[in-house]
Amino acid sequence: MRDGSVAGLLLAAGAGSRFGRPKALVEFAGEPLVRRGARLLVAGGCAPVHVVVGAGADDLPAVPGATVVRNADWRRGMGRSLRHGLASMPEHVAAVVVALVDQPLLTTAAVARLRAAHAAGAALATATYDGRPGHPVLLGRGSWPLLDRYATGDRGARDLLRARPDLVVRVPCDDAGDPWDVDTPSDLARARTLLADHAVLVPGESPGRG
């Protein structure tokens, strides 16, 4: 029986070909990105939190508060990791907040706002920045079967959200983090600069701020 719980799902399975190594293992602000991403979801009030890993899984550090889910098919792209992660969720979970391991400047306020949107009835929701959709996103359980069609290759939930704008609640998060992607070492340097300029961008902030 589902009890309305909102889980967290961190996608962290990629090889990081442009970076030169799996981004899950990259250090940022004193911790691996995989641990920072999991902490974001835990501190944002999601439970349970699952982390999908693939490349570099044998070198993965402990991820407190999260269940690590290995995806043997990680080479098939992010879509496969998303569907694998959703399939790992307990039956009682009603929705999942999805975050990406290479966006270390997201905050718990954004996660909390998506959870609030679900509590208010949203089946699908996306954080927006300057009016543009980004992560995290919220996927109600009713939408998960549709991802067999939309989440393929390196495409996650984006095509589903575009196909069903009538169901998507847009949640402004301009003041609740930055969706900057860390794809290369220079991106990592830029993210560190942004973090230094905006000390509020820390995953452990109280979810009540959102």
Side-chain angles (χ1 to χ4, degrees):
M1 181 178 295
R2 291 161 203 158
D3 61 6
S5 296
V6 177
L9 180 61
L10 182 70
L11 302 183
S17 56
R18 293 174 60 192
F19 197 95
R21 60 191 174 106
K23 288 180 280 187
L25 307 178
V26 171
E27 292 281 328
F28 181 82
E31 64 184 337
L33 286 177
V34 66
R35 188 175 291 167
R36 184 179 179 88
R39 185 162 56 85
L40 164 77
L41 295 168
V42 171
C46 296
V49 170
H50 287 192
V51 179
V52 180
V53 300
D58 291 339
D59 299 319
L60 196 76
V63 186
T67 296
V68 173
V69 179
R70 289 198 178 213
N71 175 20
D73 292 331
W74 62 267
R75 291 177 181 84
R76 295 174 61 183
M78 182 172 61
R80 184 70 184 93
S81 290
L82 173 59
R83 289 184 282 122
H84 192 73
L86 293 174
S88 74
M89 290 294 166
E91 177 63 24
H92 70 272
V93 169
V96 166
V97 173
V98 181
L100 307 181
V101 76
D102 62 357
Q103 295 185 332
L105 301 181
L106 302 181
T107 71
T108 57
V111 175
R113 289 177 192 179
L114 291 180
R115 291 177 51 244
H118 179 260
L124 297 169
T126 180
T128 65
Y129 305 87
D130 293 328
R132 294 187 295 272
H135 281 83
V137 300
L138 179 134
L139 305 173
R141 184 178 280 271
S143 71
W144 299 0
L146 300 176
L147 291 166
D148 288 340
R149 171 185 175 187
Y150 289 105
T152 60
D154 282 324
R155 307 181 78 84
R158 179 176 58 185
D159 288 348
L160 169 61
L161 298 174
R162 288 178 175 174
R164 295 306 307 269
D166 54 311
L167 297 179
V168 179
V169 174
R170 297 167 66 90
V171 181
C173 290
D174 302 80
D175 63 337
D178 191 311
W180 182 265
D181 290 317
V182 174
D183 290 327
T184 66
S186 61
D187 290 337
L188 181 65
R190 174 62 173 162
R192 287 170 172 157
T193 298
L194 289 171
L195 183 67
D197 290 343
H198 304 283
V200 69
L201 302 179
V202 178
E205 67 179 343
S206 169
R209 293 189 59 176

